[in-house]
Amino acid sequence: ESRYPSDVRFFEDRIEYCFVRESQFGKDHIAMVMYYRDMISSKLSMQQGCFVYRVPRQLHHYFQDYEPENQLHVMKVKFERQSDLTAFSARVLP
């Protein structure tokens, strides 16, 4: 789960989001593109209002926070509204 919340855009083949994080050099603006084809163990939780997935490789911008070999490390997209979660499930998920 990201410590840097941001707006997320969903497409047929990917998720895109941008966030700002502090670094030793100031603020870093990070643009992330996550393709569904690269995700593993993805699942939708209607009760928790989120889409959870793993990526089986090291992530450049998350190298300190995400360890792909650790089964407990996941990426999580939380939806504010149930209607958004339902729309994602109907339109995007295969």
Side-chain angles (χ1 to χ4, degrees):
E1 188 170 347
S2 176
R3 292 180 284 158
Y4 313 101
S6 67
D7 290 333
V8 179
R9 296 177 63 203
F10 297 96
F11 300 90
E12 287 184 10
D13 62 340
R14 69 192 182 283
I15 298 173
E16 292 184 3
Y17 51 98
C18 297
F19 59 89
V20 177
R21 81 172 173 191
E22 295 289 332
S23 75
Q24 65 186 20
F25 306 109
K27 291 185 178 183
D28 290 335
H29 294 263
I30 310 291
M32 296 292 289
V33 177
M34 304 298 275
Y35 288 92
Y36 300 122
R37 68 174 182 255
D38 297 330
M39 298 176 184
I40 60 172
S41 306
S42 60
K43 62 183 176 182
L44 188 64
S45 173
M46 298 301 268
Q47 289 105 349
Q48 294 180 7
C50 62
F51 175 61
V52 181
Y53 63 93
R54 298 185 66 251
V55 179
R57 60 178 167 73
Q58 192 71 35
L59 301 175
H60 179 73
H61 296 293
Y62 288 109
F63 66 92
Q64 294 177 335
D65 299 319
Y66 183 78
E67 298 172 8
E69 63 279 354
N70 185 337
Q71 296 295 313
L72 300 176
H73 284 203
V74 297
M75 305 295 283
K76 185 183 291 188
V77 177
K78 290 185 178 180
F79 292 83
E80 285 188 29
R81 294 182 298 269
Q82 186 69 27
S83 60
D84 293 337
L85 180 64
T86 302
F88 171 75
S89 176
R91 295 181 189 151
V92 177
L93 285 183

